[in-house]
Amino acid sequence: MKALFRILIVATLLGMIYYYSFIEQPEHEPLEGPNTVQQAIPSEHYENDFNETLSRPTEGVSVFIGKSSELLIKNYGEPLRIDQSGYGYNWWVYNEGTFMMFGVEDDIVTQVYTNDRLVEVSPYEIGQKAEDVYRMTILEGEVTVEMDDNLYMFTMNQEDTKTRLLAKFDGLYAQLYIDSELGKLVGVRYMDGKTLVMQQPYEMQYVGELIEQPVLSSYSQLALHEATAQQLFDLANRFRQQHSLKPLLRLQSLDEAAMAHSEDMFLQNYVSHESPTLGTLTDRLNEKEITYEESGENIATSYYDAIEAVHGWINSSDHRTVLLDEKFTSVGSGVYYDYYTQIFIKQEQIDPFEDSSLQ
């Protein structure tokens, strides 16, 4: 009888160890971006007052817009890497010390993004209170872009005004990314008018011709998927750094699991943490034989790039909790067209055979 009692105790303990060794965070609703319902609407006539504009900044990273990429090299040196985009420009990524991403097309700088407090984004500052941003910005519900004989009008909805303002400067446009929970400016993207029209980050109407996105070859599309996944990793760690959290280790096996889920969502036309064929996150991690103690996952669709997707997660309570969870140690990112997956795990000891060279 005593032997049977001991066996039951051991079996119970082993069951508890197994259960708590594979804790998966409760699932939350997938995040669908503004591009879900957004489409360009032609307009036969539009009366426009052409918006009041702010004076163009004379300091900070926005001064590079419209300038030669040689000026970037002169000021910052060669970029850490050059990433494919889906809009005709390449991202020049600087991520050693400070973090900046410059869009460069035909050797001309077309846009710049940063969420780094050490980068000057005059007239704003990363970390600035949102109320100060609102006070110093001319807030318009509609912002127009004039190009030759064409006119494009962007309309911000209520959510946009809370989390990603669009400001018009003289020959320059700025997307101001607000952390709605902290009430602070946490990212800035400056761009020229053509880039804004090409990306269509807000509901857009136009008079004239619509600028079409370039059609990518299969090779370029694959490079875009890989580049966007790398940017998800960069952005996740930079936001964690803003919150004094340790950086995450990037694992190739997690990248592969995240990429497989993004591709599966695209091919089977669903958006969920549970795949009809691959199962739950736990199932997918077990299939890859990934050892972990706890796990979490963020997914999203209908964002036009990694910057927009991560800022969407930042302003979604459930996704933010996963992204900024201090217990996670490792991450994998996967992107397939506009389906985004990021998987987070806690590991006490990193497997020495895991490929951690991607960090």
Side-chain angles (χ1 to χ4, degrees):
M1 190 70 179
K2 290 183 179 180
L4 178 61
F5 184 67
R6 289 184 186 135
I7 292 172
L8 288 173
I9 291 177
V10 171
T12 301
L13 289 174
L14 289 174
M16 291 176 64
I17 292 171
Y18 177 83
Y19 175 78
Y20 285 107
S21 294
F22 297 94
I23 297 176
E24 182 177 334
Q25 286 205 351
E27 291 185 357
H28 45 267
E29 288 298 316
L31 194 63
E32 295 199 27
N35 293 85
T36 307
V37 296
Q38 173 187 301
Q39 61 180 356
I41 304 171
S43 177
E44 295 181 359
H45 178 69
Y46 175 58
E47 294 182 0
N48 180 28
D49 59 7
F50 298 108
N51 304 120
E52 186 178 355
T53 60
L54 297 165
S55 298
R56 183 163 180 153
T58 58
E59 299 178 334
V61 290
S62 69
V63 302
F64 291 98
I65 306 296
K67 302 291 181 61
S68 169
S69 57
E70 292 181 359
L71 193 60
L72 290 181
I73 297 174
K74 181 179 179 181
N75 282 268
Y76 302 117
E78 295 287 345
L80 177 65
R81 66 177 192 273
I82 296 179
D83 289 348
Q84 172 81 46
S85 90
Y87 297 95
Y89 56 82
N90 289 321
W91 283 115
W92 285 28
V93 180
Y94 291 86
N95 193 14
E96 295 178 316
T98 55
F99 177 69
M100 300 172 290
M101 294 171 58
F102 291 91
V104 177
E105 183 175 7
D106 297 328
D107 296 321
I108 299 298
V109 180
T110 62
Q111 68 177 308
V112 57
Y113 167 83
T114 186
N115 59 11
D116 195 318
R117 295 175 183 269
L118 299 179
V119 177
E120 186 176 357
V121 293
S122 178
Y124 306 102
E125 294 181 11
I126 301 298
Q128 186 175 10
K129 292 183 179 179
E131 58 194 58
D132 293 335
V133 173
Y134 292 127
R135 187 164 41 246
M136 63 190 294
T137 304
I138 299 174
L139 298 178
E140 302 272 4
E142 298 173 347
V143 174
T144 59
V145 179
E146 301 168 67
M147 294 177 57
D148 299 325
D149 295 328
N150 304 308
L151 183 65
Y152 307 89
M153 180 184 70
F154 294 93
T155 303
M156 286 180 285
N157 59 35
Q158 187 175 8
E159 183 64 23
D160 292 331
T161 60
K162 293 179 181 178
T163 61
R164 49 178 203 141
L165 295 171
L166 180 61
K168 183 176 182 178
F169 292 80
D170 183 14
L172 187 69
Y173 299 84
Q175 279 186 280
L176 308 172
Y177 294 100
I178 305 292
D179 182 331
S180 59
E181 181 170 311
L182 297 181
K184 292 183 178 181
L185 180 69
V186 291
V188 176
R189 186 197 311 236
Y190 286 106
M191 71 198 87
D192 59 22
K194 178 186 174 183
T195 302
L196 177 61
V197 172
M198 181 78 71
Q199 294 176 163
Q200 295 180 34
Y202 309 89
E203 181 181 330
M204 187 181 85
Q205 297 185 48
Y206 64 95
V207 177
E209 297 181 359
L210 182 63
I211 301 177
E212 299 291 341
Q213 297 179 15
V215 178
L216 300 182
S217 67
S218 57
Y219 176 81
S220 294
Q221 190 66 57
L222 177 61
L224 174 59
H225 294 162
E226 294 175 350
T228 309
Q230 173 67 59
Q231 291 163 19
L232 284 182
F233 171 72
D234 292 340
L235 291 162
N237 266 341
R238 284 293 172 170
F239 276 114
R240 288 174 67 88
Q241 184 182 56
Q242 283 186 357
H243 291 264
S244 302
L245 298 173
K246 292 181 179 179
L248 298 166
L249 179 69
R250 185 181 180 194
L251 298 182
Q252 183 174 335
S253 55
L254 283 179
D255 277 353
E256 292 170 354
M259 178 61 179
H261 190 59
S262 289
E263 183 175 2
D264 188 56
M265 287 192 293
F266 172 82
L267 294 176
Q268 300 203 59
N269 193 29
Y270 74 94
V271 185
S272 172
H273 293 281
E274 184 166 353
S275 164
T277 54
L278 303 177
T280 65
L281 174 58
T282 298
D283 295 331
R284 290 181 272 124
L285 292 177
N286 289 343
E287 176 66 22
K288 290 286 185 181
E289 298 183 345
I290 298 172
T291 58
Y292 65 96
E293 295 185 15
E294 297 186 50
S295 66
E297 181 177 57
N298 281 340
I299 59 177
T301 189
S302 298
Y303 287 94
Y304 72 87
D305 67 8
I307 295 168
E308 289 275 304
V310 173
H311 278 285
W313 286 335
I314 284 289
N315 281 300
S316 169
S317 177
D318 290 336
H319 299 83
R320 177 194 188 92
T321 298
V322 175
L323 181 61
L324 300 179
D325 194 323
E326 64 180 2
K327 69 173 173 285
F328 290 132
T329 59
S330 307
V331 68
S333 307
V335 179
Y336 199 82
Y337 289 92
D338 62 346
Y339 287 80
Y340 302 81
T341 302
Q342 201 158 43
I343 300 173
F344 303 79
I345 62 171
K346 175 187 176 182
Q347 290 181 319
E348 282 298 330
Q349 291 184 336
I350 302 300
D351 187 339
F353 295 102
E354 283 280 6
D355 181 2
S356 59
S357 63
L358 297 176
Q359 63 178 317

